[in-house]
Amino acid sequence: MTTKVRMQYFASMREDRGCDEEVIETSLQTLGELYDQLRQQYGFNLERNKVRVAVNDTFVSWDEAPREGDLVVFIPPVGGG
Amino acid sequence: MFELRTEPFDTEVLRQQMFNPRAGAWLCFEGWVRDHHGGRGVLHLEYEAYPSLCYKEAQQLEQEMLAEHDILALSCVHRIGFCPIGEMAVWLGVSAEHRKAAFAACEDYMNQLKQRLPIWKKETYVAGDSGWVRSESSLDSE
């Protein structure tokens, strides 16, 4: 069974991916696995331990499962202030 | 209060909005775009944010600061977009009955903002290259 999630990309991840957003269909069970797969597929520069993940505007853990319609954002190291 | 702004903004208005007859102290921090970083000459910065998470996290941070420090109010504006040298990148105002709490909250808030808020900074260097720069730890090495 596959799940469709909306991805949004910012900063270095947006540049690595080459777009702002997309819809992804996945059968992976965790966001961590999703990141690892997309990293391999798209050549993301950052290892997972350097990145955080947010779903529906909330920081979550990499163990969370992707759910249908979720907005998933990988958060590269921040640099505000 | 927390806002992202895409253009330079009027700080006097922000200051006046914080007037409070109970406050004996008001502290303001301005973060300016400087012309060097890591020994390299910097031409300009660009800031990018994930707005909905940024506002949510900033609200959470503000609540924490109000709970953990004896302050009356806290207000922050952060630029996004292109920022040339000398531009104000961030403005923070903190009011309190006494200055000790205001100083502590100001430092704490800025340290937390730099670690938590989904805002990213891209530096363009004199040499012509550019790169996304992560925040230093709470002790700024520069």
Side-chain angles (χ1 to χ4, degrees), chain A residues 8-15 50 52 54-59 71 73-81, chain B residues 47-53 56-57 78 90 110 113-122 132-135:
Chain A
Q8 271 184 4
Y9 301 106
F10 294 93
S12 60
M13 301 226 59
R14 179 174 46 74
E15 289 177 352
K50 300 277 195 296
R52 285 184 288 173
V55 172
N56 302 332
D57 301 338
T58 302
F59 286 114
L71 171 64
V73 180
F74 300 134
I75 309 284
V78 297
Chain B
Y47 283 102
E48 187 172 327
Y50 168 10
S52 43
L53 180 58
K56 202 168 160 186
E57 193 68 10
H78 201 298
V90 58
M110 285 308 304
L113 180 155
K114 287 165 86 70
Q115 296 297 321
R116 289 168 58 174
L117 263 57
I119 299 172
W120 298 274
K121 175 171 71 177
K122 187 174 190 179
W132 294 97
V133 180
R134 71 172 298 168
S135 294

Side-chain angles (χ1 to χ4, degrees), chain B residues 34-87:
Chain B
R34 67 173 190 265
D35 64 3
H36 64 282
H37 181 216
R40 305 193 64 192
V42 172
L43 283 178
H44 58 79
L45 299 185
E46 291 162 68
Y47 283 102
E48 187 172 327
Y50 168 10
S52 43
L53 180 58
C54 197
Y55 277 104
K56 202 168 160 186
E57 193 68 10
Q59 187 176 47
Q60 170 74 21
L61 176 55
E62 186 176 332
Q63 292 306 313
E64 289 171 20
M65 295 295 102
L66 289 166
E68 291 166 24
H69 297 279
D70 192 11
I71 58 174
L72 294 169
L74 181 154
S75 191
C76 179
V77 178
H78 201 298
R79 281 290 311 279
I80 51 176
F82 179 89
C83 291
I85 303 302
E87 191 99 307

Side-chain angles (χ1 to χ4, degrees), chain A residues 80-81, chain B residues 8-15 26-34 47 75-79 86-94 103 106-107 109-110 113-114 140:
Chain B
F9 50 92
D10 179 1
T11 60
E12 185 55 30
V13 168
L14 297 171
R15 177 175 173 270
W26 180 77
L27 218 63
C28 171
F29 168 75
E30 293 185 3
W32 295 353
V33 176
R34 67 173 190 265
Y47 283 102
S75 191
C76 179
V77 178
H78 201 298
R79 281 290 311 279
E87 191 99 307
M88 191 182 337
V90 58
W91 183 95
L92 172 65
V94 179
F103 277 111
C106 187
E107 176 158 19
Y109 183 91
M110 285 308 304
L113 180 155
K114 287 165 86 70
D140 192 339

